């Protein structure tokens, strides 16, 4: 009799995780648009440095609340270090890429993230992925290609930044799921400290004066990024990475919306068609996961999940 309430509670937690991931993706999209605007006028190092300082406006009260010394008491220090390195590499290479390539081109690389995450989760997190969801992820990626139409510019050095950055992003998400015993505040704090150090080193000799609006924008970038990281980190503790990964495709939808608001870009037919394919593929994956958790296994065509 107790198993049903427990199962219902677990399902509710998964739904909360999905909601947090969706909100985090929106904030990441806002972060991307703001970053694209800022790196057009300032070095990547300067943006990283001020962005990281701005993030502590949100993080400091959380650090004080949980106890400053707690950020030094972490599980698996080797994996913590690997996660920090990967997360810093992700944000640094992303800003380096968008400084030279259109945001849509760079986002094409990052839309491959769910494929990396699904594969890595299968092997490292014991989250088994069946052929139906594998197919849905690949169909969704095809939708991304239709919507964004990869250009020949992607074969340049900045495109390599995008590819390596997207892989680093996927790996950091998998490690976040693996380190779910560490508090969200601790995970994000070390991530921002690393970005601050790297930004300070990169900005030496390449510092440009900023107006009040531009400086405020860089500080706000840190606040938005911290909120996004906290939401995504929490979501990965509540729901399987393989389920959350396809939700990254919503970044494309927000890219269209924010692109129109800030840059006046109007989506054309390929974007609409590709976006539809992505949404359908994501919804199928979500439906398949729920189906296998709410219906007896013998009543569902087996495919792992």
């Amino acid at each position: 009799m107790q198993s049903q309430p427990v199962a219902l509670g677990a399902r509710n937690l998964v739904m909360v995780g999905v909601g947090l991931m969706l909100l985090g993706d929106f904030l990441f999209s806002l972060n991307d648009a703001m970053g694209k605007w800022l790196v057009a006028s300032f070095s990547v190092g300067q943006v990283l440095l001020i962005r990281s300082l701005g993030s502590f406006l949100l993080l400091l009260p959380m650090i004080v609340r949980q106890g400053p010394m707690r950020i030094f008491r972490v599980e698996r220090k080797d994996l913590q270090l690997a996660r920090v390195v990967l997360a810093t590499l992700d944000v640094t290479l992303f800003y380096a890429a968008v400084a030279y390539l259109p945001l849509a081109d760079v986002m094409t690389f990052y839309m491959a993230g769910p494929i990396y995450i699904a594969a890595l989760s299968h092997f490292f997190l014991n989250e088994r992925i069946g052929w139906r969801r594998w197919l849905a992820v690949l169909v969704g990626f095809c939708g991304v290609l239709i919507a964004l139409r990869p250009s020949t510019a992607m074969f340049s050095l900045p495109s390599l930044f995008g590819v390596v950055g997207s892989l680093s992003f996927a790996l950091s998400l998998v490690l976040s799921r693996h380190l779910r015993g560490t508090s969200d505040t601790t995970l994000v704090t070390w991530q921002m400290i690393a970005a601050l150090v790297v930004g300070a080193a990169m900005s030496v000799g390449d510092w440009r004066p900023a107006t009040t609006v531009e400086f405020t924008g860089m500080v706000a970038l840190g606040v938005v990024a911290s909120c996004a990281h906290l939401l995504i980190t929490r979501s990965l503790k509540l729901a399987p990475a393989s389920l959350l990964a396809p939700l990254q495709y919503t970044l494309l939808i927000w890219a269209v919306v924010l692109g129109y608001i800030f840059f006046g870009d109007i989506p054309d037919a390929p974007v609409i068609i590709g976006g539809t394919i992505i949404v359908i593929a994501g919804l199928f994956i979500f439906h398949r996961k729920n189906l296998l958790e709410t219906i007896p296994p013998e009543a569902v065509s087996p495919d792992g999940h």
Side-chain angles (χ1 to χ4, degrees), residues 135-152:
L135 181 61
V137 169
L138 293 175
V139 168
F141 183 59
C142 289
V144 173
L145 296 180
I146 292 172
L148 299 181
R149 299 180 304 278
S151 67
T152 56

Side-chain angles (χ1 to χ4, degrees), residues 13-14 22 24 37 54-55 67 116 134 186 194 197 203 217 225 236 269 271 283 297:
L13 287 178
V14 169
L22 289 172
W37 168 58
S55 70
Y116 304 145
W134 275 116
T186 298
V197 172
S203 63
L236 288 164
V271 170
L283 289 176

Side-chain angles (χ1 to χ4, degrees), residues 156-191:
S156 63
L157 180 60
S159 70
L160 182 60
F161 295 157
V163 171
V164 178
S166 65
L167 181 57
S168 300
F169 175 67
L171 286 167
S172 68
L173 288 185
V174 171
L175 287 178
S176 294
R177 174 69 175 170
H178 193 77
L179 297 169
R180 52 186 176 273
T182 304
S183 74
D184 301 345
T185 301
T186 298
L187 288 173
V188 178
T189 296
W190 282 114
Q191 192 169 325

Side-chain angles (χ1 to χ4, degrees), residues 10-23:
R11 196 174 305 119
N12 288 338
L13 287 178
V14 169
M15 292 299 297
V16 171
V18 169
L20 293 178
M21 175 63 80
L22 289 172
L23 181 56

Side-chain angles (χ1 to χ4, degrees), residues 219-288:
V219 172
L221 190 65
V223 175
V224 171
S226 294
C227 288
H229 283 302
L230 287 168
L231 289 170
I232 297 241
T233 301
R234 172 57 61 177
S235 73
L236 288 164
K237 294 180 180 181
L238 300 176
S242 55
L243 172 62
L244 297 175
L247 299 179
Q248 296 291 313
Y249 288 136
T250 59
L251 289 167
L252 175 61
I253 298 173
W254 288 119
V256 171
V257 174
L258 296 177
Y260 175 75
I261 293 174
F262 293 113
F263 307 109
D265 296 332
I266 300 176
D268 53 16
V271 170
I272 295 173
I273 294 171
T276 301
I277 293 173
I278 293 165
V279 171
I280 292 174
L283 289 176
F284 173 81
I285 293 170
F286 185 64
H287 167 73
R288 183 68 186 173

